[in-house]
Amino acid sequence: MSDAIAVPPAAPPAIGVPAAPPADAIPAAVPATPHPDASAAGVHAALHADATALLTDWTPTSPSAAHARDHTLRLLADGPAAMSRAHRVGHLTASALVFDATGARLLFCLHGKLHRWVQLGGHCEPADRTLAGVALREAGEESGITGLRIDPVPIDVDVHPVACGGGSRHHDVRFAVLAPAGAVERVSDESEALGWFPPDRLPDPLASGTARLVAPGLAALRRSPLRLAP
């Protein structure tokens, strides 16, 4: 899943593979790592086009989100391979800040490996066509809740180091999602627990960067009724 947190330093990269950038700085430019299978990159063409258009037109919700958006657009210049976890220098992910039907509580999961509370989310898959669809699919898989609705306008973008693939970066695009009335969550294999929390009493320990999703998430609820992703 997409975990906006700091992680332990990655193991040294294999010979011939670029090292992940340091955690305290996003590089201005990083050489692209060729996808190991060019045909596999092709399956992400539609998703890549959606992500590029979405972030190009998006109005960032904070200075940090604007900084992350700009670096993510540079990553997208590598082509559809940037949507795949095989893209070692970094790849796009999508996550969801899930509200209950009243908008009064937020759903977080206690990540099984990281042991921190995080929003729901994860990697892109070959069948995905939109980033909003990735976030909605991941939210459903990790919560067990059906009938989720999403605002297709992002509420945040974050770039952070991760350990996956021996060390990489997630360029995570975050969305607001609304659960139906009476929704009952179910813990997935990736989580230790799921829990609902009021916006002013978030769980601890909380993943870095997660708290800043609350304000733009609430603004998304006020802006328009959430709907199913395309």
Side-chain angles (χ1 to χ4, degrees):
M1 66 181 296
S2 169
D3 313 307
I5 66 171
V7 298
I15 295 174
V17 179
D24 58 353
I26 301 173
V30 180
T33 299
H35 195 286
D37 183 350
S39 63
V43 304
H44 289 303
L47 184 59
H48 175 265
D50 170 77
T52 302
L54 180 70
L55 295 181
T56 299
D57 295 338
W58 182 60
T59 300
T61 52
S62 69
S64 61
H67 184 62
R69 187 275 306 271
D70 292 345
H71 284 284
T72 301
L73 284 172
R74 284 198 283 273
L75 181 77
L76 286 167
D78 289 352
M83 310 307 297
S84 168
R85 71 188 78 192
H87 196 250
R88 177 69 180 275
V89 296
H91 45 277
L92 270 71
T93 56
S95 61
L97 184 66
V98 179
F99 290 85
D100 71 3
T102 68
R105 297 183 303 161
L106 298 163
L107 183 65
F108 295 102
C109 73
L110 184 60
H111 195 278
K113 294 180 180 179
L114 303 168
H115 309 298
R116 290 178 181 270
W117 292 93
V118 298
Q119 74 273 17
L120 311 182
H123 289 99
C124 303
E125 301 295 345
D128 294 322
R129 293 293 178 266
T130 68
L131 279 179
V134 176
L136 195 66
R137 173 182 56 74
E138 287 285 338
E141 290 174 357
E142 295 183 359
S143 70
I145 298 173
T146 59
L148 295 170
R149 293 182 290 162
I150 192 168
D151 182 354
V153 179
I155 59 174
D156 186 52
V157 178
D158 184 70
V159 180
H160 52 273
V162 293
C164 70
S168 186
R169 282 183 178 265
H170 279 178
H171 292 244
D172 192 44
V173 182
R174 287 89 178 266
F175 298 85
V177 169
L178 192 69
V184 177
E185 68 277 10
R186 183 182 69 253
V187 178
S188 74
D189 294 339
E190 296 185 36
S191 306
E192 294 181 7
L194 290 168
W196 294 96
F197 301 90
D200 58 349
R201 293 197 298 277
L202 300 181
D204 183 63
L206 188 67
S208 172
T210 297
R212 77 166 187 250
L213 301 181
V214 175
L218 289 168
L221 291 184
R222 293 190 296 267
R223 183 170 60 242
S224 64
L226 302 189
R227 52 188 171 82
L228 292 174

